[in-house]
Amino acid sequence: MWAVLALLAGGLVTVALANGHKLGQPTHQDASYLIYTLAASVTAGIVEEVVVLAFVVTTLRQAARPLPEIVLVAAVLRCSYHDYYGLGVAGIAIWFVISAPDALAI
């Protein structure tokens, strides 16, 4: 339930504040672009969650760092590669900070 609420809160803030555009996005988006975008999104999700965040969180947990520090470092890392949203990155930070402690407490 918390994860859904965090996702909704973060999504609303991101949509309200986002002002950036990805470079290279065509003005006319045909089927080939949509297929490419879908594949890129799936790949990005795997890389972001498994490779980047899992590595950082695991390393910090093994170093016996406190949970608030782990959440802060992971949130800053996640926001750093979503900065093209402009101020909308605040929504991603809100979502992550609300949902991360429960996920990391396992």
Side-chain angles (χ1 to χ4, degrees):
M1 181 65 160
W2 282 109
V4 173
L5 292 175
L7 181 62
L8 289 173
L12 290 173
V13 171
T14 298
V15 169
L17 298 176
N19 61 1
H21 300 284
K22 288 187 176 182
L23 295 176
Q25 185 173 6
T27 55
H28 176 69
Q29 299 174 359
D30 58 4
S32 64
Y33 179 76
L34 295 177
I35 292 169
Y36 165 77
T37 303
L38 177 63
S41 296
V42 169
T43 304
I46 292 169
V47 171
E48 289 174 11
E49 301 302 328
V50 177
V51 177
V52 178
L53 286 175
F55 174 76
V56 168
V57 169
T58 301
T59 302
L60 291 174
R61 288 179 92 180
Q62 289 176 346
R65 304 308 306 167
L67 183 61
E69 181 181 329
I70 295 171
V71 171
L72 179 65
V73 169
V76 169
L77 177 64
R78 171 163 286 198
C79 291
S80 72
Y81 51 80
H82 288 99
D83 64 349
Y84 56 85
Y85 282 118
L87 292 177
V89 78
I92 293 170
I94 290 169
W95 165 76
F96 185 76
V97 169
I98 291 172
S99 64
D102 287 335
L104 298 178
I106 296 173

